Amino acid sequence: MSVDPPLALLAEVTHRCPMRCLYCSNPLALEPASNELDTETWCRVLDQAADLGMLQVHFSGGEPTVRKDLETLIDHASKQGLYGNLITSGVLLDRDRLLRFADVGLEHVQLSFQDTDEGCGDLVGGFKGAHAKKLAVARWIKEAGLALTLNGVIHRHNASRTRDIIELAVDLGAGRLEVASVQYYGWGLKNRAYLMPTIQQLEEVTAVVEDARQRLVGVLAIDYVVPDYYARLPKACMGGWGQRFLNVDPAGRALPCHAAPTIPGMSFDTIFERSLEDIWLRSDAFNRFRGTAWMPEPCASCDHREIDWGGCRCQALALTGDAANVDPVCQRSPYHEDVRSMAESEASAATESFVYRGDPGRTKAQREQKTAGAMGYVQGSDR
Amino acid sequence: MTARKAVSENDKPRFAPHVRFTFDRRRERWVVLAPERMLIPDEISVEILQRCTGEASLAGIIDALSGEFDASRDEIAGDVLALVQDMTDKGVLAS
Ligand code: SF4
Ligand code: SF4
């Protein structure tokens, strides 16, 4: 099989992040700062990415702006001709730093919003004051002349405010909005029962998005990610394993996707051992689920096999226990009905308990009782 | 709130800020890079997009293309306006 070069590098420059979003897809065990690649090594990764034919770089994390050398990396990427995107929560940014990013060639910022309701947003993000800060950051992004995408993460507790989130994106001058239903990986999987929307909510959100898309043609482009568990067909996760994206994690492991290390029995090469090109073309990890040869039935003989590539391996693992199974979101998977009814029953059980990273689980009642007056979480602390 | 822009032959479109129209040497094809988006224009679209410099009007671009290609002006005008409207809606081109 001939392998096309990847299109984009996901540069996960750190796992550190002051927020503690209940849906965070980061691994449960984070890479400590001391294991992070240094500036020079990241520059080498960016050089190799450009040589390999990648066209875009997404600086992500964790919160990429915790790295003081981010401007150096953006500058380096831009000089290599890579189109630069920054994926951020915004809470650590200030106006001057955004102006510097624009100066060294950043093109686009994707800023996440947890909600339009400040209290609920700060609760789900685990960071008091986040919402107000994000509003300021959105304005600075525009002032710096950067393209702005808002990423609105939707779940059971804010689905009813989807329309407000769309209006917020228009008011802030965003060119794009992602109405992104929570995906259940990492902390999101742990907090699934708290986050899962009901089918009725899903239908309302879909109607609101469809109406807004028509109304806002030429004003705001809206990308819509439906909650997986209620879908009939899986998403083409990462555009297919080892087909478009190459993710380098904070410690320098090259991954076909962010969650791939959850798959038992797989090992991933680091950029210290092999070049990106060698890893992309020849490593066991990138070839393991590439294309269609690995597929079991029903995928192997399905017309959709080169459209969704069998869905998400990490989801197959999380929900069926085996990453090589068809993604159970697919209606042809024997697990499909179970997954859907689990989602429905979790949503209707309406639990109010969740866990933050670095915090034992508590119920809403316990939180309110314990903190009497104060908020049940500490600003800026994620340890 | 801004409104949708309806494209006409008087417009002089150019690429919006943060959109790069470049030749991808590795794959030997033109590509439009935009926020979270990558478009691979076909040959005709490349001909049109290369002329969207902000200086030429669409009327001028259509005339030039009718001279070069074996098709009626109306036909070419239809293709050009449709492409430019679509690219404007997507935020790729601005006038
Ligand atoms: S999802 Fe939230 S906690 Fe996780 S990295 Fe992003 S901002 Fe930080
Ligand atoms: S059977 Fe496999 S290839 Fe077919 S739609 Fe389902 S996941 Fe996709």
Side-chain angles (χ1 to χ4, degrees), chain A residues 262-264 288-289 294 296 310 312-328 333 335:
Chain A
T262 60
I263 303 174
R288 173 70 183 86
F289 297 111
W294 64 274
C312 174
R313 298 305 89 228
C314 307
Q315 188 138 275
L317 172 74
L319 298 178
T320 76
D322 184 351
N325 278 335
V326 47
D327 185 334
S333 159
Y335 296 88

PDB file of all heavy atoms in Angstrom, chain A residues 262-264 288-289 294 296 310 312-328 333 335:
ATOM      1  N   THR A 262      -3.943   4.562  25.080  1.00  0.00           N
ATOM      2  CA  THR A 262      -4.827   3.757  25.932  1.00  0.00           C
ATOM      3  C   THR A 262      -4.951   2.318  25.407  1.00  0.00           C
ATOM      4  O   THR A 262      -5.461   1.455  26.108  1.00  0.00           O
ATOM      5  CB  THR A 262      -6.261   4.352  26.012  1.00  0.00           C
ATOM      6  OG1 THR A 262      -6.828   4.412  24.691  1.00  0.00           O
ATOM      7  CG2 THR A 262      -6.260   5.739  26.620  1.00  0.00           C
ATOM      8  N   ILE A 263      -4.522   2.076  24.188  1.00  0.00           N
ATOM      9  CA  ILE A 263      -4.686   0.737  23.606  1.00  0.00           C
ATOM     10  C   ILE A 263      -3.591  -0.190  24.121  1.00  0.00           C
ATOM     11  O   ILE A 263      -2.405   0.072  23.901  1.00  0.00           O
ATOM     12  CB  ILE A 263      -4.656   0.799  22.063  1.00  0.00           C
ATOM     13  CG1 ILE A 263      -5.745   1.766  21.561  1.00  0.00           C
ATOM     14  CG2 ILE A 263      -4.823  -0.588  21.465  1.00  0.00           C
ATOM     15  CD1 ILE A 263      -5.717   2.003  20.065  1.00  0.00           C
ATOM     16  N   PRO A 264      -3.981  -1.262  24.819  1.00  0.00           N
ATOM     17  CA  PRO A 264      -2.954  -2.136  25.392  1.00  0.00           C
ATOM     18  C   PRO A 264      -2.167  -2.845  24.299  1.00  0.00           C
ATOM     19  O   PRO A 264      -2.679  -3.109  23.210  1.00  0.00           O
ATOM     20  CB  PRO A 264      -3.753  -3.147  26.226  1.00  0.00           C
ATOM     21  CG  PRO A 264      -5.185  -2.938  25.915  1.00  0.00           C
ATOM     22  CD  PRO A 264      -5.348  -1.710  25.094  1.00  0.00           C
ATOM     23  N   ARG A 288      -0.691  -0.288  12.053  1.00  0.00           N
ATOM     24  CA  ARG A 288      -1.551  -1.277  12.694  1.00  0.00           C
ATOM     25  C   ARG A 288      -3.015  -1.184  12.219  1.00  0.00           C
ATOM     26  O   ARG A 288      -3.641  -2.188  11.913  1.00  0.00           O
ATOM     27  CB  ARG A 288      -1.456  -1.107  14.221  1.00  0.00           C
ATOM     28  CG  ARG A 288      -2.403  -1.951  15.044  1.00  0.00           C
ATOM     29  CD  ARG A 288      -2.030  -3.436  14.982  1.00  0.00           C
ATOM     30  NE  ARG A 288      -2.972  -4.281  15.709  1.00  0.00           N
ATOM     31  CZ  ARG A 288      -4.099  -4.759  15.192  1.00  0.00           C
ATOM     32  NH1 ARG A 288      -4.446  -4.465  13.949  1.00  0.00           N
ATOM     33  NH2 ARG A 288      -4.890  -5.532  15.916  1.00  0.00           N
ATOM     34  N   PHE A 289      -3.573   0.027  12.176  1.00  0.00           N
ATOM     35  CA  PHE A 289      -4.986   0.179  11.786  1.00  0.00           C
ATOM     36  C   PHE A 289      -5.126   1.075  10.547  1.00  0.00           C
ATOM     37  O   PHE A 289      -6.132   1.736  10.362  1.00  0.00           O
ATOM     38  CB  PHE A 289      -5.802   0.770  12.939  1.00  0.00           C
ATOM     39  CG  PHE A 289      -5.850  -0.107  14.160  1.00  0.00           C
ATOM     40  CD1 PHE A 289      -5.204   0.273  15.324  1.00  0.00           C
ATOM     41  CD2 PHE A 289      -6.528  -1.325  14.131  1.00  0.00           C
ATOM     42  CE1 PHE A 289      -5.244  -0.534  16.461  1.00  0.00           C
ATOM     43  CE2 PHE A 289      -6.575  -2.133  15.260  1.00  0.00           C
ATOM     44  CZ  PHE A 289      -5.927  -1.739  16.429  1.00  0.00           C
ATOM     45  N   TRP A 294      -6.723  -4.376   8.050  1.00  0.00           N
ATOM     46  CA  TRP A 294      -6.843  -4.872   9.429  1.00  0.00           C
ATOM     47  C   TRP A 294      -8.294  -5.188   9.797  1.00  0.00           C
ATOM     48  O   TRP A 294      -8.563  -5.797  10.817  1.00  0.00           O
ATOM     49  CB  TRP A 294      -6.329  -3.810  10.414  1.00  0.00           C
ATOM     50  CG  TRP A 294      -7.168  -2.567  10.363  1.00  0.00           C
ATOM     51  CD1 TRP A 294      -7.017  -1.522   9.515  1.00  0.00           C
ATOM     52  CD2 TRP A 294      -8.341  -2.284  11.143  1.00  0.00           C
ATOM     53  NE1 TRP A 294      -8.015  -0.594   9.716  1.00  0.00           N
ATOM     54  CE2 TRP A 294      -8.846  -1.040  10.703  1.00  0.00           C
ATOM     55  CE3 TRP A 294      -9.018  -2.959  12.175  1.00  0.00           C
ATOM     56  CZ2 TRP A 294      -9.984  -0.456  11.250  1.00  0.00           C
ATOM     57  CZ3 TRP A 294     -10.153  -2.370  12.711  1.00  0.00           C
ATOM     58  CH2 TRP A 294     -10.627  -1.137  12.251  1.00  0.00           C
ATOM     59  N   PRO A 296     -12.051  -6.273  10.577  1.00  0.00           N
ATOM     60  CA  PRO A 296     -12.884  -7.466  10.714  1.00  0.00           C
ATOM     61  C   PRO A 296     -14.217  -7.217   9.985  1.00  0.00           C
ATOM     62  O   PRO A 296     -14.488  -6.095   9.551  1.00  0.00           O
ATOM     63  CB  PRO A 296     -13.119  -7.532  12.221  1.00  0.00           C
ATOM     64  CG  PRO A 296     -13.140  -6.085  12.652  1.00  0.00           C
ATOM     65  CD  PRO A 296     -12.204  -5.356  11.720  1.00  0.00           C
ATOM     66  N   GLY A 310     -13.934   2.497   9.538  1.00  0.00           N
ATOM     67  CA  GLY A 310     -14.258   1.648  10.681  1.00  0.00           C
ATOM     68  C   GLY A 310     -14.418   2.409  11.989  1.00  0.00           C
ATOM     69  O   GLY A 310     -14.582   1.813  13.049  1.00  0.00           O
ATOM     70  N   CYS A 312     -13.640   4.799  15.298  1.00  0.00           N
ATOM     71  CA  CYS A 312     -12.578   5.150  16.249  1.00  0.00           C
ATOM     72  C   CYS A 312     -12.080   3.910  16.993  1.00  0.00           C
ATOM     73  O   CYS A 312     -12.865   3.199  17.617  1.00  0.00           O
ATOM     74  CB  CYS A 312     -13.128   6.176  17.230  1.00  0.00           C
ATOM     75  SG  CYS A 312     -11.995   6.581  18.556  1.00  0.00           S
ATOM     76  N   ARG A 313     -10.783   3.687  16.958  1.00  0.00           N
ATOM     77  CA  ARG A 313     -10.187   2.516  17.637  1.00  0.00           C
ATOM     78  C   ARG A 313     -10.278   2.648  19.157  1.00  0.00           C
ATOM     79  O   ARG A 313     -10.433   1.666  19.877  1.00  0.00           O
ATOM     80  CB  ARG A 313      -8.704   2.347  17.242  1.00  0.00           C
ATOM     81  CG  ARG A 313      -8.391   2.081  15.772  1.00  0.00           C
ATOM     82  CD  ARG A 313      -9.109   0.905  15.198  1.00  0.00           C
ATOM     83  NE  ARG A 313     -10.383   1.278  14.652  1.00  0.00           N
ATOM     84  CZ  ARG A 313     -11.529   0.637  14.896  1.00  0.00           C
ATOM     85  NH1 ARG A 313     -11.566  -0.389  15.695  1.00  0.00           N
ATOM     86  NH2 ARG A 313     -12.649   1.021  14.355  1.00  0.00           N
ATOM     87  N   CYS A 314     -10.104   3.864  19.626  1.00  0.00           N
ATOM     88  CA  CYS A 314     -10.070   4.058  21.080  1.00  0.00           C
ATOM     89  C   CYS A 314     -11.473   3.904  21.655  1.00  0.00           C
ATOM     90  O   CYS A 314     -11.647   3.437  22.784  1.00  0.00           O
ATOM     91  CB  CYS A 314      -9.474   5.417  21.412  1.00  0.00           C
ATOM     92  SG  CYS A 314      -7.863   5.643  20.622  1.00  0.00           S
ATOM     93  N   GLN A 315     -12.460   4.281  20.874  1.00  0.00           N
ATOM     94  CA  GLN A 315     -13.837   4.101  21.312  1.00  0.00           C
ATOM     95  C   GLN A 315     -14.210   2.608  21.306  1.00  0.00           C
ATOM     96  O   GLN A 315     -14.895   2.124  22.211  1.00  0.00           O
ATOM     97  CB  GLN A 315     -14.766   4.858  20.376  1.00  0.00           C
ATOM     98  CG  GLN A 315     -16.179   4.877  20.852  1.00  0.00           C
ATOM     99  CD  GLN A 315     -16.762   6.260  20.632  1.00  0.00           C
ATOM    100  OE1 GLN A 315     -16.602   7.150  21.458  1.00  0.00           O
ATOM    101  NE2 GLN A 315     -17.393   6.441  19.493  1.00  0.00           N
ATOM    102  N   ALA A 316     -13.753   1.902  20.274  1.00  0.00           N
ATOM    103  CA  ALA A 316     -13.991   0.458  20.231  1.00  0.00           C
ATOM    104  C   ALA A 316     -13.389  -0.193  21.475  1.00  0.00           C
ATOM    105  O   ALA A 316     -14.008  -1.037  22.128  1.00  0.00           O
ATOM    106  CB  ALA A 316     -13.383  -0.150  18.963  1.00  0.00           C
ATOM    107  N   LEU A 317     -12.197   0.259  21.832  1.00  0.00           N
ATOM    108  CA  LEU A 317     -11.554  -0.279  23.027  1.00  0.00           C
ATOM    109  C   LEU A 317     -12.356   0.061  24.286  1.00  0.00           C
ATOM    110  O   LEU A 317     -12.660  -0.818  25.097  1.00  0.00           O
ATOM    111  CB  LEU A 317     -10.136   0.296  23.158  1.00  0.00           C
ATOM    112  CG  LEU A 317      -9.448  -0.048  24.471  1.00  0.00           C
ATOM    113  CD1 LEU A 317      -9.010  -1.505  24.466  1.00  0.00           C
ATOM    114  CD2 LEU A 317      -8.260   0.864  24.731  1.00  0.00           C
ATOM    115  N   ALA A 318     -12.705   1.340  24.426  1.00  0.00           N
ATOM    116  CA  ALA A 318     -13.374   1.777  25.659  1.00  0.00           C
ATOM    117  C   ALA A 318     -14.721   1.086  25.837  1.00  0.00           C
ATOM    118  O   ALA A 318     -15.134   0.803  26.958  1.00  0.00           O
ATOM    119  CB  ALA A 318     -13.547   3.298  25.655  1.00  0.00           C
ATOM    120  N   LEU A 319     -15.425   0.801  24.753  1.00  0.00           N
ATOM    121  CA  LEU A 319     -16.798   0.310  24.879  1.00  0.00           C
ATOM    122  C   LEU A 319     -16.950  -1.192  24.615  1.00  0.00           C
ATOM    123  O   LEU A 319     -17.954  -1.773  25.002  1.00  0.00           O
ATOM    124  CB  LEU A 319     -17.729   1.093  23.938  1.00  0.00           C
ATOM    125  CG  LEU A 319     -17.817   2.604  24.226  1.00  0.00           C
ATOM    126  CD1 LEU A 319     -18.713   3.287  23.214  1.00  0.00           C
ATOM    127  CD2 LEU A 319     -18.312   2.872  25.643  1.00  0.00           C
ATOM    128  N   THR A 320     -15.970  -1.810  23.937  1.00  0.00           N
ATOM    129  CA  THR A 320     -16.112  -3.248  23.676  1.00  0.00           C
ATOM    130  C   THR A 320     -14.945  -4.050  24.240  1.00  0.00           C
ATOM    131  O   THR A 320     -14.965  -5.272  24.200  1.00  0.00           O
ATOM    132  CB  THR A 320     -16.190  -3.554  22.162  1.00  0.00           C
ATOM    133  OG1 THR A 320     -14.874  -3.443  21.596  1.00  0.00           O
ATOM    134  CG2 THR A 320     -17.137  -2.613  21.436  1.00  0.00           C
ATOM    135  N   GLY A 321     -13.916  -3.334  24.711  1.00  0.00           N
ATOM    136  CA  GLY A 321     -12.772  -4.027  25.276  1.00  0.00           C
ATOM    137  C   GLY A 321     -11.725  -4.435  24.248  1.00  0.00           C
ATOM    138  O   GLY A 321     -10.685  -4.970  24.608  1.00  0.00           O
ATOM    139  N   ASP A 322     -11.985  -4.185  22.964  1.00  0.00           N
ATOM    140  CA  ASP A 322     -11.002  -4.560  21.949  1.00  0.00           C
ATOM    141  C   ASP A 322     -10.932  -3.481  20.866  1.00  0.00           C
ATOM    142  O   ASP A 322     -11.921  -3.212  20.171  1.00  0.00           O
ATOM    143  CB  ASP A 322     -11.399  -5.903  21.321  1.00  0.00           C
ATOM    144  CG  ASP A 322     -10.355  -6.405  20.310  1.00  0.00           C
ATOM    145  OD1 ASP A 322      -9.418  -5.638  19.980  1.00  0.00           O
ATOM    146  OD2 ASP A 322     -10.490  -7.555  19.859  1.00  0.00           O
ATOM    147  N   ALA A 323      -9.741  -2.885  20.729  1.00  0.00           N
ATOM    148  CA  ALA A 323      -9.566  -1.785  19.772  1.00  0.00           C
ATOM    149  C   ALA A 323      -9.760  -2.241  18.329  1.00  0.00           C
ATOM    150  O   ALA A 323      -9.999  -1.418  17.441  1.00  0.00           O
ATOM    151  CB  ALA A 323      -8.176  -1.167  19.941  1.00  0.00           C
ATOM    152  N   ALA A 324      -9.662  -3.532  18.061  1.00  0.00           N
ATOM    153  CA  ALA A 324      -9.782  -4.024  16.682  1.00  0.00           C
ATOM    154  C   ALA A 324     -11.227  -4.348  16.296  1.00  0.00           C
ATOM    155  O   ALA A 324     -11.484  -4.802  15.187  1.00  0.00           O
ATOM    156  CB  ALA A 324      -8.891  -5.253  16.481  1.00  0.00           C
ATOM    157  N   ASN A 325     -12.166  -4.103  17.192  1.00  0.00           N
ATOM    158  CA  ASN A 325     -13.576  -4.288  16.830  1.00  0.00           C
ATOM    159  C   ASN A 325     -14.090  -3.105  16.022  1.00  0.00           C
ATOM    160  O   ASN A 325     -13.539  -2.007  16.093  1.00  0.00           O
ATOM    161  CB  ASN A 325     -14.441  -4.399  18.096  1.00  0.00           C
ATOM    162  CG  ASN A 325     -14.408  -5.798  18.669  1.00  0.00           C
ATOM    163  OD1 ASN A 325     -14.151  -6.765  17.952  1.00  0.00           O
ATOM    164  ND2 ASN A 325     -14.652  -5.901  19.968  1.00  0.00           N
ATOM    165  N   VAL A 326     -15.165  -3.323  15.298  1.00  0.00           N
ATOM    166  CA  VAL A 326     -15.851  -2.206  14.669  1.00  0.00           C
ATOM    167  C   VAL A 326     -16.290  -1.228  15.776  1.00  0.00           C
ATOM    168  O   VAL A 326     -16.661  -1.643  16.873  1.00  0.00           O
ATOM    169  CB  VAL A 326     -17.045  -2.719  13.824  1.00  0.00           C
ATOM    170  CG1 VAL A 326     -17.875  -3.702  14.586  1.00  0.00           C
ATOM    171  CG2 VAL A 326     -17.929  -1.579  13.343  1.00  0.00           C
ATOM    172  N   ASP A 327     -16.187   0.063  15.477  1.00  0.00           N
ATOM    173  CA  ASP A 327     -16.634   1.089  16.429  1.00  0.00           C
ATOM    174  C   ASP A 327     -18.105   0.821  16.783  1.00  0.00           C
ATOM    175  O   ASP A 327     -18.958   0.776  15.897  1.00  0.00           O
ATOM    176  CB  ASP A 327     -16.472   2.467  15.753  1.00  0.00           C
ATOM    177  CG  ASP A 327     -16.779   3.645  16.680  1.00  0.00           C
ATOM    178  OD1 ASP A 327     -17.549   3.473  17.642  1.00  0.00           O
ATOM    179  OD2 ASP A 327     -16.247   4.740  16.414  1.00  0.00           O
ATOM    180  N   PRO A 328     -18.435   0.651  18.059  1.00  0.00           N
ATOM    181  CA  PRO A 328     -19.791   0.267  18.448  1.00  0.00           C
ATOM    182  C   PRO A 328     -20.842   1.346  18.196  1.00  0.00           C
ATOM    183  O   PRO A 328     -22.038   1.095  18.351  1.00  0.00           O
ATOM    184  CB  PRO A 328     -19.663  -0.026  19.939  1.00  0.00           C
ATOM    185  CG  PRO A 328     -18.490   0.749  20.370  1.00  0.00           C
ATOM    186  CD  PRO A 328     -17.539   0.764  19.212  1.00  0.00           C
ATOM    187  N   SER A 333     -22.600  -2.763  14.342  1.00  0.00           N
ATOM    188  CA  SER A 333     -21.862  -3.415  15.431  1.00  0.00           C
ATOM    189  C   SER A 333     -22.837  -4.151  16.347  1.00  0.00           C
ATOM    190  O   SER A 333     -23.908  -3.624  16.658  1.00  0.00           O
ATOM    191  CB  SER A 333     -21.112  -2.359  16.249  1.00  0.00           C
ATOM    192  OG  SER A 333     -20.812  -2.871  17.538  1.00  0.00           O
ATOM    193  N   TYR A 335     -22.636  -4.355  19.353  1.00  0.00           N
ATOM    194  CA  TYR A 335     -22.728  -3.604  20.615  1.00  0.00           C
ATOM    195  C   TYR A 335     -23.571  -2.338  20.487  1.00  0.00           C
ATOM    196  O   TYR A 335     -23.778  -1.621  21.456  1.00  0.00           O
ATOM    197  CB  TYR A 335     -21.325  -3.173  21.083  1.00  0.00           C
ATOM    198  CG  TYR A 335     -20.400  -4.312  21.414  1.00  0.00           C
ATOM    199  CD1 TYR A 335     -19.602  -4.896  20.430  1.00  0.00           C
ATOM    200  CD2 TYR A 335     -20.304  -4.796  22.721  1.00  0.00           C
ATOM    201  CE1 TYR A 335     -18.735  -5.934  20.735  1.00  0.00           C
ATOM    202  CE2 TYR A 335     -19.433  -5.831  23.035  1.00  0.00           C
ATOM    203  CZ  TYR A 335     -18.650  -6.394  22.032  1.00  0.00           C
ATOM    204  OH  TYR A 335     -17.795  -7.408  22.346  1.00  0.00           O
TER     205      TYR A 335
END
